[in-house]
Amino acid sequence: HYGTVPCFGMQDQCHKPCQVATCLHTEKPCEHKCHTTCTNICTDQCKCECAHKKCSKTCFEVCDKPCCNEPCDKMLKCGHCCLGLCGEKCLSICLICNRKKFLSD
């Protein structure tokens, strides 16, 4: 039953509670039954943003935030700046502290 399309092909017969994921604005899950139209439509502003770009859509719409190509402003544990891009997962290893390892690979 659980999934992004609950009861695929049998939605009109299912009377289990809706299991559509809740948004970031509310912890309240849907209260309707699977066979009825989902009413958990959040009209708050989408929270997908970084320091440089943000989404212009509401929460229930498809996000339109473009990828950010600005340098990451986070610091690694060693004190050096992350060398990745904003919004990407930071590397766990520092290019400066581990220069030989990067050059040998």
Side-chain angles (χ1 to χ4, degrees):
H1 183 263
Y2 188 79
T4 54
V5 183
C7 302
F8 183 72
M10 295 177 33
Q11 293 93 326
D12 60 335
Q13 301 169 20
C14 181
H15 292 277
K16 292 182 180 180
C18 177
Q19 293 182 344
V20 173
T22 58
C23 70
L24 298 172
H25 301 105
T26 181
E27 297 296 319
K28 182 182 174 193
C30 293
E31 295 178 352
H32 71 282
K33 302 295 180 195
C34 185
H35 72 282
T36 61
T37 304
C38 184
T39 57
N40 198 20
I41 297 175
C42 180
T43 57
D44 290 343
Q45 182 65 39
C46 178
K47 288 188 174 184
C48 188
E49 63 181 17
C50 67
H52 313 104
K53 299 178 187 254
K54 70 177 193 172
C55 178
S56 67
K57 304 287 185 175
T58 56
C59 186
F60 78 96
E61 296 176 299
V62 176
C63 183
D64 69 354
K65 178 192 171 287
C67 293
C68 186
N69 293 322
E70 296 292 325
C72 181
D73 60 358
K74 295 179 182 173
M75 299 295 281
L76 301 175
K77 291 179 183 178
C78 63
H80 291 114
C81 292
C82 173
L83 297 175
L85 296 176
C86 178
E88 291 181 345
K89 183 177 179 182
C90 294
L91 296 173
S92 59
I93 188 168
C94 175
L95 175 65
I96 297 167
C97 294
N98 299 284
R99 187 175 185 92
K100 289 182 182 178
K101 178 175 175 50
F102 280 96
L103 293 175
S104 67
D105 289 343

